[in-house]
Amino acid sequence: MRKRAEPVALEHERRAVSGSPSAGSAASALDADCRLKQNLCLAGPGPAEPRCASDAGMKRALGRRKGLCFRLRKILLCVLGLYVAIPFLIKLCPAIQAKLIFLNFVRVPYFIDLKKPQDQGLNHTCNYYLHPEEGVTIGVWHTVPAVWWKNAQGKDQIWYEDALASSRPIILYLHGNAGTRGGDHRVELYKVLSSLGYHVVTFDYRGWGDSVGTPSERGMTYDALHVFDWIKARSGDNPVYIWGHSLGTGVATNLVRRLCERETPPDALILESPFTNIREEAKSHPFSVIYRYFPGFDWFFLDPITSSGIQFANDENVKHISCSLLILHAEDDPVVPFQLGRKLYSIAAPSRSFRDFKVQFIPFHSDLGYRHKYIYKSPELPRILREFLGKSEPAA
């Protein structure tokens, strides 16, 4: 077979060289065949078309993935930049840290008229305005004992002021940061205390609610002193107790220390969810979690508080207080850690200033769910107050 094929090939070559018509037609046929095969190769078989579409889809998906990764990277860089910038911003502008402590710009609940406490279910409450200093006005609510609610209907401020001279004890309530004297949990506590037969006098510090002025620790303490003196001028010999909650415990111990130094102490001091001092509270606050291990945390975040004149040194104040002290704290408090209230008690209990007075710490188990501001819900609270305040006078 190989011998036969070789002469045929030689014959074709001779014809191609001689330029015969049969050679040209064969070459043309060969060229056409080659072009056909080339076109078929370029076009590819039919099933390749879906594969091309799939490749294009994969390229688009890959492009979208790359775009998403770029956007996420950009967002992460912005967040990281903000995270690093905030400490420097607070250090350069200590007033920002003061705002975060006071939160007086947060008014909750919204859309309430503080001139109308009856809108909050306090039908036996009167709204006052007092003037501790020139250019400063503070809004005050006075709730009489619940048993007087019928007599209180339609009465004016003079009637309420005269009612302070009755034989009923009075509680001056100092609220915490954020919100106003019309806060929901605060209103509920007024109702509980009123139902137990107490007058309740509360107010918004300068810069809170509808009170006029600029917030500061000194100013808040002076406002509380002014209201206390206003109460004592009208209440005669009736007992006056001071109740502070959260940041209000700092105002309360500032006030009571000053009252004790001038030898006009209140009949008892009640601290609900207290801290030791504002630096320890700021370091323990849940908002500080993301910066607690930031290099230079104290320098960036705590020193600006001190430079703003904010201390609220409960741990130091209790060493100079000479009246009965009751501390209430929930174990599940997420804002002021329970251990700070316990620590404050451990500082106060052995203090010589309390040697003739009762000092008591009442914890509320975490299963009760009272957290930071719901101790008023405790069915034990009336008994606790009755037993403590009934024995709040100094020992013989």
Side-chain angles (χ1 to χ4, degrees):
M1 291 294 292
R2 294 179 59 184
K3 291 181 179 180
R4 183 178 178 182
E6 287 177 357
V8 174
L10 291 174
E11 181 65 21
H12 279 292
E13 290 178 3
R14 283 195 297 270
R15 290 182 179 180
V17 172
S18 62
S20 62
S22 60
S25 61
S28 299
L30 184 61
D31 290 342
D33 185 55
C34 289
R35 284 196 299 273
L36 178 61
K37 288 181 179 180
Q38 185 177 8
N39 291 336
L40 289 174
C41 289
L42 290 174
E49 293 180 2
R51 192 185 312 154
C52 293
S54 176
D55 290 344
M58 289 179 64
K59 289 181 179 180
R60 285 195 296 270
L62 184 61
R64 286 195 297 269
R65 192 176 301 120
K66 287 182 178 178
L68 180 61
C69 290
F70 176 77
R71 287 193 294 270
L72 287 176
R73 194 180 305 115
K74 189 175 181 180
I75 292 172
L76 288 175
L77 287 174
C78 290
V79 171
L80 180 62
L82 184 63
Y83 176 79
V84 174
I86 285 177
F88 289 94
L89 185 63
I90 289 176
K91 185 64 179 179
L92 293 173
C93 304
I96 295 176
Q97 187 75 316
K99 286 282 188 182
L100 294 176
I101 291 173
F102 295 139
L103 292 178
N104 59 299
F105 55 89
V106 178
R107 181 167 176 168
V108 180
Y110 298 98
F111 311 118
I112 71 169
D113 187 351
L114 293 172
K115 296 182 179 66
K116 299 178 179 179
Q118 61 270 21
D119 291 349
Q120 308 307 309
L122 297 172
N123 296 323
H124 48 303
T125 300
C126 185
N127 181 68
Y128 308 150
Y129 288 99
L130 302 180
H131 305 278
E133 294 178 320
E134 185 177 355
V136 176
T137 301
I138 56 175
V140 181
W141 279 359
H142 173 197
T143 302
V144 298
V147 293
W148 293 355
W149 78 270
K150 286 185 178 179
N151 294 333
Q153 303 308 303
K155 297 300 192 299
D156 58 10
Q157 180 175 339
I158 295 176
W159 183 89
Y160 276 84
E161 290 186 28
D162 292 341
L164 290 171
S166 68
S167 59
R168 301 281 181 166
I170 301 154
I171 291 180
L172 171 58
Y173 179 78
L174 306 173
H175 68 67
N177 67 350
T180 68
R181 61 190 184 275
D184 292 340
H185 65 283
R186 294 163 187 164
V187 169
E188 293 304 316
L189 178 62
Y190 310 155
K191 292 177 181 178
V192 170
L193 298 177
S194 174
S195 69
L196 297 176
Y198 298 103
H199 290 272
V200 182
V201 178
T202 187
F203 66 96
D204 280 322
Y205 316 105
R206 61 186 70 187
W208 271 260
D210 58 353
S211 297
V212 178
T214 302
S216 68
E217 182 177 355
R218 185 208 68 84
M220 295 165 70
T221 303
Y222 191 82
D223 292 344
L225 178 63
H226 181 80
V227 176
F228 179 84
D229 288 340
W230 179 86
I231 292 171
K232 290 297 290 183
R234 291 157 177 76
S235 62
D237 296 329
N238 293 331
V240 178
Y241 310 121
I242 294 176
W243 184 312
H245 173 245
S246 191
L247 188 66
T249 63
V251 182
T253 62
N254 282 349
L255 169 62
V256 176
R257 177 177 178 176
R258 185 164 178 175
L259 292 175
C260 291
E261 287 173 349
R262 76 178 193 184
E263 300 182 350
T264 58
D267 293 275
L269 171 62
I270 302 169
L271 301 178
E272 179 188 356
S273 306
F275 49 86
T276 48
N277 58 70
I278 198 63
R279 286 177 70 97
E280 287 194 359
E281 161 55 14
K283 197 168 187 175
S284 304
H285 198 280
F287 288 164
S288 71
V289 170
I290 59 175
Y291 284 107
R292 198 168 295 165
Y293 303 104
F294 190 88
F297 175 85
D298 287 13
W299 188 77
F300 277 112
F301 292 95
L302 303 185
D303 290 350
I305 298 176
T306 305
S307 65
S308 297
I310 304 172
Q311 295 182 345
F312 292 115
N314 289 337
D315 50 355
E316 182 62 27
N317 288 338
V318 294
K319 299 175 184 177
H320 304 274
I321 288 175
S322 53
C323 69
S324 295
L325 172 64
L326 173 64
I327 297 177
L328 309 172
H329 214 135
E331 293 179 353
D332 58 338
D333 190 329
V335 178
V336 180
F338 176 77
Q339 62 266 23
L340 292 187
R342 175 73 76 177
K343 183 178 179 180
L344 182 64
Y345 171 73
S346 68
I347 294 171
S351 175
R352 288 190 300 171
S353 65
F354 287 106
R355 64 181 179 270
D356 295 326
F357 299 93
K358 187 175 183 180
V359 180
Q360 189 173 359
F361 181 84
I362 304 292
F364 294 87
H365 198 275
S366 57
D367 290 345
L368 298 172
Y370 295 153
R371 297 174 67 78
H372 183 59
K373 55 187 181 182
Y374 300 111
I375 288 177
Y376 73 85
K377 293 183 177 181
S378 173
E380 295 296 313
L381 186 60
R383 178 190 59 78
I384 293 169
L385 294 178
R386 185 166 54 249
E387 292 179 358
F388 180 80
L389 296 179
K391 302 176 182 178
S392 62
E393 298 298 325

